[in-house]
Amino acid sequence: MPNGIVIIDKPAGWTSMDVCAKLRGILHEKRVGHAGTLDPMATGVLPVFVGQATKAVEFAESGKKGYLAGLQLGVTTTTQDISGEVLSTQPVNVDRAMVESQLANFIGPLQQIPPMYSAIKIGGQKLYQLARKGQEVERKPRSVTIYELELLRQQDEGLYILRVLCSKGTYIRTLCHDIGQALGCGGCMASLRRTMAAGFTLEQAVSLEEVQDQGADALLPTDSLFSAYPILLLKSDRAEKRVRCGNPITLPDTPDGIYRIYSQGRQFLCLSQARDGTLTAVKNFFGVET
């Protein structure tokens, strides 16, 4: 059965769950899950985990994410993106230099109020369900971080393309809305393309059509998610047996940290934490193809 990670270049108009459903059919595997939801209008990097690799989804949802976003000034909408109902239009009396100077105020830790059109639950109901009924409720600000924010180019009158590197949980729609508010003319997100998630980039992404053609050959090994961690290769049957039984092992000269643990035959076994010469499994991946 297929096990691994496929980095999909999500097409516009598809939900992240639509992509997973399509892949279940292509790969004939029920265990398919994605990391980091993309709105239907967005395109780009969507890591999808297949088979036993779904054990790794929890490790992929955090971390930095990269985007190319279209900022349309002079327009505000119900959804904070161009797909929503227009709430207001205003003249845009700002130039590129003014936009660039305002971006500096949005770099670093921010308190961001989630949009009503989001999947966040309040009182057991998703916000977008309330929004569709015409209701608006108070939302608590959330802490997010914008690590990098750069104006790449002006694409049209009032339309700017931004490069964003941000933390998990950042709403780029809200960022565009807030920048528009700060400039005094309003704004919304006109387009969104994710360029990086979970350490994977667009260069590694494939289309659904390519997966249709390649099948399981389009999958990356599960341990590719953990490439930032050093490899530790077990050197004895005893150590390997203990790891496979879920027991800690003692390796006195091992510096503290997180390691990718492999069998003598170079099979990826687990992600482990070393502390004071003892390695304890953080997550086991027995049986996952590497």
Side-chain angles (χ1 to χ4, degrees), residues 30-69:
K30 293 180 180 179
R31 295 168 298 172
V32 175
H34 67 81
T37 301
L38 279 175
D39 289 340
M41 72 173 286
T43 66
V45 174
L46 181 68
V48 179
F49 295 72
V50 180
Q52 293 191 62
T54 51
K55 295 178 181 180
V57 170
E58 64 186 276
F59 298 95
E61 293 177 328
S62 60
K64 297 178 181 179
K65 294 178 172 61
Y67 296 93
L68 294 178

Side-chain angles (χ1 to χ4, degrees), residues 23-227:
L23 290 173
R24 288 187 188 100
I26 293 173
L27 298 171
H28 307 292
E29 171 59 62
K30 293 180 180 179
R31 295 168 298 172
V32 175
H34 67 81
T37 301
L38 279 175
D39 289 340
M41 72 173 286
T43 66
V45 174
L46 181 68
V48 179
F49 295 72
V50 180
Q52 293 191 62
T54 51
K55 295 178 181 180
V57 170
E58 64 186 276
F59 298 95
E61 293 177 328
S62 60
K64 297 178 181 179
K65 294 178 172 61
Y67 296 93
L68 294 178
L71 166 63
Q72 178 63 64
L73 295 177
V75 179
T76 63
T77 73
T78 53
T79 58
Q80 299 182 342
D81 63 38
I82 206 69
S83 70
E85 180 184 345
V86 174
L87 294 174
S88 69
T89 59
Q90 297 183 54
V92 180
N93 297 314
V94 299
D95 58 19
R96 176 171 179 150
M98 294 171 68
V99 176
E100 286 184 318
S101 66
Q102 190 59 242
L103 296 186
N105 297 323
F106 289 88
I107 297 174
L110 301 175
Q111 291 294 306
Q112 193 179 69
I113 298 175
M116 276 300 300
Y117 280 87
S118 64
I120 294 171
K121 286 186 177 180
I122 291 182
Q125 283 194 289
K126 293 180 179 179
L127 286 177
Y128 70 78
Q129 293 173 330
L130 298 173
R132 287 172 180 168
K133 297 175 184 177
Q135 300 178 34
E136 182 163 351
V137 297
E138 184 177 354
R139 288 97 67 200
K140 292 182 179 179
R142 301 175 118 196
S143 297
V144 300
T145 302
I146 307 295
Y147 300 102
E148 298 176 15
L149 182 57
E150 179 187 7
L151 197 164
L152 296 182
R153 62 185 182 275
Q154 182 172 358
Q155 188 161 303
D156 206 343
E157 185 174 355
L159 178 59
Y160 296 88
I161 304 302
L162 308 179
R163 182 184 65 84
V164 186
L165 184 65
C166 60
S167 65
K168 171 190 175 183
T170 302
Y171 283 93
I172 306 300
R173 289 179 283 146
T174 301
L175 176 64
C176 290
H177 171 86
D178 291 349
I179 292 171
Q181 293 296 104
L183 287 166
C185 58
C188 68
M189 188 181 77
S191 62
L192 186 67
R193 182 158 177 76
R194 188 154 68 191
T195 57
M196 184 188 75
F200 298 108
T201 65
L202 274 174
E203 286 71 26
Q204 297 165 283
V206 296
S207 66
L208 288 168
E209 291 76 16
E210 287 175 296
V211 181
Q212 184 77 65
D213 293 339
Q214 299 173 25
D217 289 340
L219 301 181
L220 298 173
T222 304
D223 57 344
S224 62
L225 176 65
F226 306 115
S227 59

